[in-house]
Amino acid sequence: MAPGGNRGWLLRLVIAFSFAQGAVSMARPAVSYRALALGADERAIGVIAGVYALLPLFAAVPLGRRTDHGRCAPLLPVGVVLISGGCALSGLADSLWAMAIWSGVMGLGHLCFVIGAQSIVARQSAPHEQDRNFGHFTIGASLGQLVGPIAAGALIGGPDMAGTSALALLVAGAGGAVALGSLWRIESRTTAASREAPGERVPVRRILRARGVPAGIFISLAVLSATDILTAYLPVVGEHRGIAPSVIGLLLSLRAAATIACRLVLTPLLRLLGRTLLLTVTCLLAALLCAGIALPVPVWALALILAALGFCLGVGQPLSMTTVVQASPEGARSTALALRLTGNRLGQVAAPASAGLIAGLAGVAAPFVMLGGLLLVSAGIALRAPGKTAGEAEGADGRRGSRSPLRRKSGI
């Protein structure tokens, strides 16, 4: 199957990602509530949230190196098993240290799945399709982020917070395992065989010096840190403001629904504004909206803020993937995506730990002000990032002039 051909593999990948991400998105707030029930304070919540990213931090680049010259698909079931096991064992853990360890296992599973899946999308998409296909791929993540918090909010509550949060984690583990049912015929034999022979190993320094790669990594780090701290700290904000866990779950799902809406209209937005302006505007608006969460606003206003924030945050992840893929050297794209994920995990380690420290010193709303500053910096970086890439130029040429043979054949 050549890039740009049948996209049934993409639909199956989106379905699998929905269940895997749904398990993680259900487990993350459940871990926070269970840790609170076991006596954790804001700083401990930050440490547990940071450990989720700690194991993946050291595994990303080796996994990317392996994927550059081999198959991607085997990483997907391994990731699902680790996610489901980490969720279930977090529910059975009876200490904060054990919860932190199993949270790290969950994070390692998520990394394996995402590296394999992103590499498949990059490998099996024509250059002019990458923005669209990465956008559709990340809809799977948004669907999981939509359903997961609602399910967690429906199960968690009442006087037995420790018991109900443990039940939510066990259910998350079972739900994540459903993803295994969609992991068939996702990777083309043709594209997999073309990577089995090892080629020249591109140094990490050369990848990071490629124009566009650092910008894509930082923007992705900022956007994911915002999503991560929202998931981990909105329950804490809810506890302090007297908002029920079920309402917090609905608010997190509203944010995810707005992200899905953004990715469904990503292609027309790109045609209207272009990648650079779209990234800059959405990061700037997201910075202001994150700071707005720190204000003592009523629940309905918080819902409006989170809906707008979700729409803005929906742009950063898929466009940063395309930016990194198209800017990286040939034969090192999986490694470049792994470096992007390493940046994400660095953010997931540093941001929650910093958020926990700030929350302990200045209150639970203060981390959202910190996020606003981080997104403001990413808006400035997006403004200076490379403009139209080769992939965009190819797509534009295809729209302006005669359609390429590939586009004529596939009917795109």
Side-chain angles (χ1 to χ4, degrees):
M1 177 175 61
N6 182 278
R7 289 195 296 154
W9 61 270
L10 183 59
L11 176 60
R12 292 190 291 276
L13 190 59
V14 169
I15 292 170
F17 197 17
S18 299
F19 281 102
Q21 184 64 54
V24 172
S25 298
M26 185 176 180
R28 298 302 297 284
V31 164
S32 295
Y33 279 118
R34 181 160 173 78
L36 288 169
L38 294 178
D41 57 13
E42 289 86 354
R43 298 182 186 183
I45 295 291
V47 171
I48 292 173
V51 171
Y52 169 83
L54 192 59
L55 284 177
L57 191 61
F58 302 102
V61 173
L63 285 173
R65 292 284 195 197
R66 176 209 167 278
T67 307
D68 268 323
H69 304 294
R71 296 185 63 209
C72 309
L75 285 177
L76 305 184
V78 171
V80 170
V81 169
L82 291 175
I83 288 171
S84 296
C87 291
L89 291 169
S90 294
L92 298 175
D94 57 2
S95 70
L96 297 178
W97 282 110
M99 289 192 68
I101 291 171
W102 296 123
S103 181
V105 171
M106 189 197 317
L108 182 60
H110 190 260
L111 176 83
C112 289
F113 188 96
V114 172
I115 284 182
Q118 288 183 8
S119 298
I120 288 173
V121 176
R123 192 173 294 179
Q124 298 185 174
S125 302
H128 65 276
E129 296 177 325
Q130 285 175 347
D131 278 328
R132 181 195 64 190
N133 286 359
F134 276 125
H136 289 173
F137 165 70
T138 52
I139 286 175
S142 299
L143 285 170
Q145 291 165 356
L146 171 66
V147 175
I150 291 179
L155 291 174
I156 301 170
D160 186 14
M161 186 70 75
T164 56
S165 57
L167 175 62
L169 286 164
L170 292 172
V171 172
V178 177
L180 292 170
S182 297
L183 298 179
W184 52 276
R185 294 183 62 187
I186 284 180
E187 186 174 22
S188 165
R189 293 181 181 179
T190 303
T191 55
S194 68
R195 298 285 178 148
E196 288 177 357
E200 180 187 355
R201 182 169 175 167
V202 181
V204 170
R205 183 179 299 178
R206 179 182 163 195
I207 299 171
L208 290 174
R209 290 174 64 184
R211 186 169 181 262
V213 170
I217 290 173
F218 187 88
I219 292 167
S220 178
L221 179 155
V223 170
L224 189 67
S225 294
T227 304
D228 206 54
I229 290 180
L230 272 175
T231 304
Y233 269 86
L234 203 61
V236 183
V237 171
E239 284 289 295
H240 280 258
R241 297 184 185 177
I243 304 173
S246 58
V247 177
I248 292 295
L250 288 172
L251 289 173
L252 288 171
S253 295
L254 177 64
R255 196 278 311 162
T259 298
I260 293 173
C262 169
R263 287 166 181 170
L264 288 173
V265 297
L266 188 58
T267 300
L269 285 175
L270 279 166
R271 290 173 181 168
L272 179 66
L273 299 176
R275 186 183 300 163
T276 299
L277 183 57
L278 183 59
L279 275 172
T280 303
V281 170
T282 53
C283 286
L284 180 59
L285 290 175
L288 299 175
L289 291 164
C290 268
I293 297 175
L295 302 175
V297 296
V299 173
W300 64 266
L302 187 59
L304 292 177
I305 290 173
L306 287 170
L309 179 59
F311 191 90
C312 292
L313 292 177
V315 171
Q317 290 295 345
L319 295 195
S320 68
M321 291 178 200
T322 307
T323 299
V324 168
V325 165
Q326 295 185 352
S328 60
E330 185 69 29
R333 289 178 174 175
S334 292
T335 304
L337 286 169
L339 287 169
R340 174 185 167 277
L341 290 172
T342 300
N344 287 352
R345 294 307 187 258
L346 277 171
Q348 286 181 303
V349 171
S354 302
L357 179 61
I358 293 172
L361 296 174
V364 295
F368 297 102
V369 178
M370 178 196 75
L371 281 180
L374 186 63
L375 287 165
L376 191 63
V377 173
S378 70
I381 290 174
L383 187 61
R384 300 184 60 186
K388 184 176 290 186
T389 63
E392 285 180 298
E394 182 177 339
D397 291 339
R399 289 190 298 271
R400 284 195 302 265
S402 60
R403 302 172 78 190
S404 69
L406 175 64
R407 292 170 69 86
R408 287 196 299 269
K409 182 178 179 180
S410 60
I412 297 172

